[in-house]
Amino acid sequence: MVFPSALSALWSAILLTVLLTTAVYSNVVYDDDPLQPVTADETVSVGGTVTLTCRVAESDNSSLQWSNTAQQTLYFGEKRALRDNRIQLLHSTSTELTITIADVQLSDEGEYKCAIFTMPVRTARATVTVLGVPGKPQISGLETPVQEGQKVTLTCTSTGSKPPAKLHWYRGDQELEGHLDVVESNPDDPTYNVSSELTLEVTSSDDNALITCAVDHPSLAPGDKRSEQTLRVLYSPNVQIHPGSNLPREGEKFSLRCTGTSNPEPTSYIWEKKDGELPILAKADGAVLHFPMLNKSDNGVYVCHADNGIGNNQGEYILLVQDPTVMAPSSGVDHAVIGGVVAVIVFILLCLLIVLGRYLIRHKGTYLTHEAKGSDDAPDADTAIINAEGGQSGSEDKKEYFI
Ligand SMILES: *[C@@H]1O[C@H](CO)[C@@H](O)[C@H](O)[C@H]1NC(C)=O
Ligand SMILES: *[C@@H]1O[C@H](CO)[C@@H](O)[C@H](O)[C@H]1NC(C)=O
Ligand SMILES: *[C@@H]1O[C@H](CO)[C@@H](O)[C@H](O)[C@H]1NC(C)=O
């Protein structure tokens, strides 16, 4: 057929045109002089390896040469010119000279030059930027616990970054705004020491909070370098009184326990009864007030004062002694009764299942075994098996109830 081949010829023509256009166009964009070397600027972290590539579009077989910031020749074609084992040849052809510099130092920063010794000599420059890798941040100001309600100023510092690193503060996952970011520099050190301050007014809920200072720098992946410290807050007791039972009944033993959530733990507890003396029988033993035998005359409001040296607070409990005959609060009874009823129902259901199961098997299921076929007629086991395998010797199949 003529039509498809005409079409494919047309496509080829279009494709060729596009290719030619692209080639011409890229030539125009990149260099009009095919002998002009082309390089690229590079950025590398201290200790890293940088690769310097120099290419020409065409070569007249002149050698390419790389030289360093001090104009010293590093490589001339594949010939090493400077004795520095950090610098190695990666690739050398008539159109390309690629070298690597390992374990880069800050002093390696600067302008490198690629030259091709044509007439005239053509050169290209590549700027190598060396990043100073910041040190692990250090948090100071949290050496001692802070008292609730006070302000604390934390400082985070990181040394040796270039360009200056940024520091970020976090309390748990939440970022906090630092202030007074300081960048230190000094004339004979190209790197910077940075610091940031964070002022917090702490509350008891800040106790054990994790404070993080993280470094943000182009030489690091996010989260690479961070320091964490736990904030310790000293706060006065938050007092609660827990009764030994929910049903104080006359004549029974009873106790009240005073808990003071605080940092540090409370060191002293004082028990009082509002509007009166503690009952004679009641014995205070630190956080616990014991009643060996409750009496209605014990009724009243009991107060526990807990002190941890930071401050003291109090909690209250209203004691209302019940008659000895009063039933325990309903919820406990209900649970026991429901539990018992459920247990009985489950037991009955199980019994029914077992009985039903036995009934069904007895009346419907019959089970035929090899032994049943032969053993009853055989004088011994071997004969029984032979009988069973032979099959026909037994006059009829035997039925055996499985249960
Ligand atoms: C470059 O050298 C090769 C072989 O060494 C030679 O064939 C070629 O003609 C030379 N090219 C130029 C432009 O001198
Ligand atoms: C940064 O800190 C280090 C160690 O504390 C110090 O030796 C260095 O001189 C400081 N650099 C600058 C630029 O301040
Ligand atoms: C309670 O105390 C009163 C007097 O203080 C006493 O008469 C009474 O017997 C006590 N009740 C019990 C159950 O101990």
Side-chain angles (χ1 to χ4, degrees):
M1 284 208 280
V2 178
F3 181 63
S5 61
L7 196 65
S8 77
L10 183 64
W11 270 118
S12 304
I14 290 172
L15 205 62
L16 197 65
T17 314
V18 168
L19 280 176
L20 281 174
T21 317
T22 315
V24 168
Y25 183 71
S26 64
N27 227 20
V28 168
V29 164
Y30 290 111
D31 48 9
D32 11 31
D33 176 3
L35 292 173
Q36 171 60 41
V38 177
T39 59
D41 292 344
E42 301 292 340
T43 297
V44 60
S45 297
V46 166
T49 297
V50 65
T51 302
L52 296 175
T53 299
C54 180
R55 283 196 183 93
V56 289
E58 274 171 33
S59 169
D60 66 351
N61 288 351
S62 307
S63 278
L64 287 159
Q65 169 196 287
W66 268 112
S67 55
N68 69 10
T69 55
Q71 320 287 335
Q72 295 165 305
T73 301
L74 302 177
Y75 270 92
F76 184 72
E78 58 191 17
K79 285 192 207 68
R80 174 198 288 259
L82 187 74
R83 219 163 265 291
D84 183 343
N85 282 333
R86 300 185 304 133
I87 304 169
Q88 297 292 332
L89 181 69
L90 198 65
H91 204 57
S92 170
T93 65
S94 57
T95 57
E96 180 184 335
L97 180 62
T98 299
I99 62 169
T100 59
I101 307 172
D103 190 19
V104 168
Q105 301 303 308
L106 287 164
S107 55
D108 292 325
E109 179 165 288
E111 210 173 65
Y112 288 70
K113 205 166 76 181
C114 174
I116 184 161
F117 290 88
T118 47
M119 280 302 262
V121 173
R122 292 164 168 86
T123 60
R125 288 160 207 285
T127 302
V128 172
T129 304
V130 180
L131 302 176
V133 182
K136 190 175 155 72
Q138 305 290 333
I139 299 176
S140 62
L142 279 181
E143 293 77 12
T144 53
V146 193
Q147 201 153 321
E148 165 180 40
Q150 287 188 343
K151 276 190 178 171
V152 61
T153 297
L154 313 181
T155 307
C156 179
T157 58
S158 172
T159 58
S161 54
K162 179 180 149 312
K166 288 195 181 69
L167 298 171
H168 295 285
W169 289 99
Y170 299 88
R171 177 194 185 281
D173 297 334
Q174 182 203 355
E175 179 155 11
L176 303 173
E177 200 61 48
H179 62 95
L180 209 73
D181 290 342
V182 176
V183 176
E184 275 181 68
S185 62
N186 92 40
D188 35 66
D189 185 348
T191 67
Y192 300 87
N193 290 351
V194 296
S195 64
S196 173
E197 278 185 9
L198 175 70
T199 300
L200 288 174
E201 192 169 333
V202 301
T203 66
S204 60
S205 64
D206 290 319
D207 191 33
N208 290 319
L210 202 60
I211 302 292
T212 305
C213 174
V215 184
D216 177 8
H217 195 259
S219 69
L220 300 173
D224 260 5
K225 282 196 177 162
R226 48 170 54 220
S227 274
E228 291 177 338
Q229 284 215 3
T230 306
L231 187 56
R232 301 273 176 215
V233 181
L234 301 175
Y235 60 99
S236 55
N238 169 20
V239 180
Q240 282 192 316
I241 298 179
H242 305 279
S245 104
N246 286 322
L247 186 73
R249 275 186 294 204
E250 191 161 39
E252 291 187 350
K253 263 197 336 193
F254 184 69
S255 63
L256 292 175
R257 178 174 291 276
C258 181
T259 60
T261 314
S262 67
N263 185 22
E265 294 282 293
T267 46
S268 79
Y269 298 90
I270 296 168
W271 286 99
E272 274 180 353
K273 190 178 179 197
K274 255 191 189 168
D275 312 320
E277 298 279 299
L278 281 180
I280 295 162
L281 283 180
K283 264 223 290 285
D285 178 12
V288 184
L289 183 65
H290 295 282
F291 296 84
M293 190 193 268
L294 282 175
N295 190 306
K296 288 217 166 140
S297 63
D298 297 337
N299 282 352
V301 179
Y302 289 82
V303 180
C304 168
H305 302 266
D307 195 313
N308 69 341
I310 301 300
N312 77 80
N313 276 309
Q314 62 183 54
E316 291 186 357
Y317 179 80
I318 300 166
L319 177 62
L320 193 58
V321 177
Q322 308 289 312
D323 284 328
T325 50
V326 80
M327 285 290 283
S330 58
S331 66
V333 174
D334 284 352
H335 285 144
V337 169
I338 290 167
V341 168
V342 168
V344 167
I345 290 172
V346 167
F347 180 72
I348 290 170
L349 280 175
L350 274 174
C351 290
L352 277 174
L353 264 175
I354 290 168
V355 168
L356 194 69
R358 285 178 78 107
Y359 177 85
L360 284 176
I361 289 162
R362 220 169 256 278
H363 291 266
K364 286 194 180 161
T366 58
Y367 189 78
L368 205 55
T369 65
H370 278 306
E371 289 91 332
K373 280 196 220 164
S375 64
D376 282 5
D377 307 327
D380 56 56
D382 287 347
T383 325
I385 289 163
I386 292 162
N387 282 352
E389 281 167 354
Q392 307 308 324
S393 67
S395 56
E396 66 198 76
D397 291 338
K398 295 266 194 302
K399 284 178 182 172
E400 184 183 86
Y401 296 116
F402 193 53
I403 292 181

